[in-house]
C-alpha cells in the first residue's frame, strides 16, 4: 500500500498554476505567486530582517586570468570551455579555506565552521532565482567545476534540480556581469554568512612607467555582503584580499 501511494504521488501531474487575472479596468494584471516565488520572498525578507548586513568592495585586475583562461581553452581543443565563473568558484573555495571564519554560519547557540567549501551559484530561471551548489569546490579542478556547473545550469533551466542540489551550501556567488551590471550588493542567502556580488569587466586606463605613460587594464568590481554576527569586518577584508590574490595570480588556482 505504501509503495502504491508513493507511486501515485510520483506519477501525479503537477498542480496547474492559476492563470493571471486582469483587473476590471484593465490597468494591471494580478500574477499568482508560484511556490518558488513565495520561498524566495520569505527567505530574502528573513535575511534582511534578521541578518546585520555590511558590505565590502574591491577592484580586481583580470588581464592575467583572462590570458590563462584563453590558453587553457585553446589547449582543451573544444573538449570544454572554461568561464570566468569557474575561476570565481575555485578562487572563492580556496579563499574560504584560507579564511575559515568566512566559511561559517550563525546557529543561535554556536557558530558552525565548515571544513569544505560548498559554493552556491545564483542562476536565473523562468520561474525565479535558484542557487545550485558545487560541492567541495576546494577539492575540484577548474575542468570539473566547469562540468558540474554546466550540468547544474541545464538541470536548473529544465526544472530538474533535486532538493539536495540547491539546498545548503556554505557560500554564494551572484554574477550579473554578463548583463552589463558594473556594481551591486547582494542579499545574504540564509543560513550562510557571505555572498559575493560580481560585476562586469571593463577597460580602465592606469598610470604606467612606459613611453605612453599609461596601460589599459581589464578590471572588475566585486562586493562581499557579510553577516556581522559571524564575520567581522577584518575577516571579510582578509577573505577579499585572499580572493583577489588568487584571481590576479591565477596560476595559484592550478596548484
Amino acid at each position: 500500500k505504501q509503495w502504491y501511494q508513493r507511486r501515485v504521488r510520483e506519477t501525479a501531474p503537477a498542480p496547474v498554476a492559476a492563470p493571471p487575472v486582469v483587473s476590471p479596468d484593465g490597468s494591471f494584471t494580478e500574477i499568482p505567486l508560484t511556490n518558488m516565488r513565495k520561498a524566495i520572498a520569505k527567505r530574502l525578507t528573513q535575511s534582511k530582517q534578521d541578518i546585520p548586513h555590511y558590505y565590502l568592495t574591491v577592484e580586481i585586475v583580470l588581464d592575467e586570468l583572462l590570458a590563462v583562461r584563453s590558453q587553457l581553452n585553446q589547449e582543451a581543443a573544444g573538449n570544454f570551455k572554461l568561464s570566468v565563473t569557474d575561476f570565481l568558484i575555485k578562487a572563492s573555495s580556496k579563499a574560504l579555506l584560507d579564511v575559515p571564519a568566512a566559511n561559517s554560519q550563525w546557529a543561535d547557540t554556536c557558530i558552525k565552521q565548515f571544513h569544505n567549501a560548498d559554493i552556491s551559484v545564483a542562476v536565473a530561471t523562468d520561474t525565479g532565482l535558484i542557487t545550485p551548489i558545487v560541492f567541495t569546490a576546494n577539492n575540484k579542478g577548474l575542468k570539473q567545476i566547469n562540468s558540474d556547473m554546466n550540468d547544474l545550469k541545464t538541470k536548473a533551466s529544465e526544472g530538474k534540480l533535486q532538493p539536495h542540489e540547491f539546498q545548503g551550501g556554505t557560500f554564494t556567488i551572484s554574477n550579473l556581469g554578463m548583463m552589463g551590471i558594473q556594481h551591486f550588493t547582494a542579499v545574504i542567502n540564509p543560513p550562510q554568512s557571505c555572498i559575493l556580488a560580481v560585476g562586469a569587466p571593463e577597460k580602465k586606463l592606469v598610470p604606467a612607467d612606459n613611453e605612453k605613460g599609461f596601460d589599459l587594464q581589464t578590471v572588475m568590481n566585486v562586493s562581499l555582503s557579510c553577516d556581522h554576527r559571524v564575520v567581522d569586518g577584518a575577516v571579510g577584508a582578509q577573505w577579499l584580499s585572499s580572493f583577489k590574490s588568487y584571481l590576479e595570480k591565477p596560476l595559484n588556482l592550478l596548484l
Side-chain angles (χ1 to χ4, degrees), residues 14 32 65 74 104 182 207 226 233:
L65 183 151
Q74 287 178 6
S104 304
Q182 294 180 343
C226 302

Side-chain angles (χ1 to χ4, degrees), residues 19-195:
V21 178
V22 179
S23 65
D25 63 0
S27 62
F28 64 88
T29 300
E30 291 184 354
I31 301 174
L33 298 176
T34 63
N35 288 336
M36 178 178 284
R37 181 54 55 187
K38 290 177 183 177
I40 292 171
K42 181 179 179 180
R43 288 175 59 81
L44 296 187
T45 300
Q46 173 195 2
S47 177
K48 291 297 286 185
Q49 287 179 340
D50 295 345
I51 298 177
H53 287 56
Y54 72 89
Y55 311 96
L56 302 171
T57 300
V58 70
E59 184 180 87
I60 297 173
V61 179
L62 290 180
D63 295 285
E64 197 168 333
L65 183 151
L66 295 176
V68 169
R69 171 178 173 258
S70 177
Q71 182 178 349
L72 291 174
N73 283 339
Q74 287 178 6
E75 293 177 357
N79 292 321
F80 60 87
K81 185 177 182 180
L82 297 176
S83 69
V84 171
T85 298
D86 300 328
F87 285 85
L88 298 178
I89 293 169
K90 185 60 181 179
S92 294
S93 70
K94 290 182 74 71
L96 288 170
L97 294 192
D98 291 344
V99 188
N103 198 34
S104 304
Q105 293 178 4
W106 180 263
D108 290 330
T109 59
C110 68
I111 291 175
K112 294 181 180 179
Q113 191 170 107
F114 297 95
H115 301 158
N116 284 306
D118 298 332
I119 308 297
S120 305
V121 181
V123 174
T125 71
D126 292 339
T127 55
L129 189 69
I130 197 164
T131 52
I133 304 165
V134 178
F135 289 98
T136 61
N138 50 294
N139 293 330
K140 294 177 178 177
L142 290 166
K143 181 180 177 182
Q144 184 60 54
I145 289 173
N146 173 263
S147 176
D148 287 0
M149 274 307 303
N150 287 337
D151 183 50
L152 290 167
K153 285 189 291 187
T154 298
K155 288 183 178 180
S157 65
E158 296 174 352
K160 294 180 179 180
L161 282 174
Q162 298 300 309
H164 73 273
E165 293 178 303
F166 62 87
Q167 293 177 356
T170 65
F171 184 94
T172 294
I173 296 172
S174 180
N175 186 355
L176 292 179
M178 67 285 293
M179 298 182 180
I181 302 301
Q182 294 180 343
H183 173 262
F184 71 106
T185 54
V187 180
I188 293 171
N189 179 21
Q192 297 175 12
S193 295
C194 296
I195 183 170

Side-chain angles (χ1 to χ4, degrees), residues 57-66 84 88 91-92 196-202 204 217-223 239-250:
T57 300
V58 70
E59 184 180 87
I60 297 173
V61 179
L62 290 180
D63 295 285
E64 197 168 333
L65 183 151
L66 295 176
V84 171
L88 298 178
S92 294
L196 185 71
V198 181
E202 57 180 332
K204 180 180 179 180
Q217 290 182 338
T218 304
V219 299
M220 174 181 73
N221 284 317
V222 300
S223 294
W239 186 91
L240 270 180
S241 177
S242 176
F243 176 77
K244 173 183 170 76
S245 176
Y246 282 121
L247 291 187
E248 293 187 340
K249 300 176 181 177

Side-chain angles (χ1 to χ4, degrees), residues 8-22:
V8 168
R9 288 195 301 269
E10 291 173 349
T11 57
V16 178
V21 178
V22 179

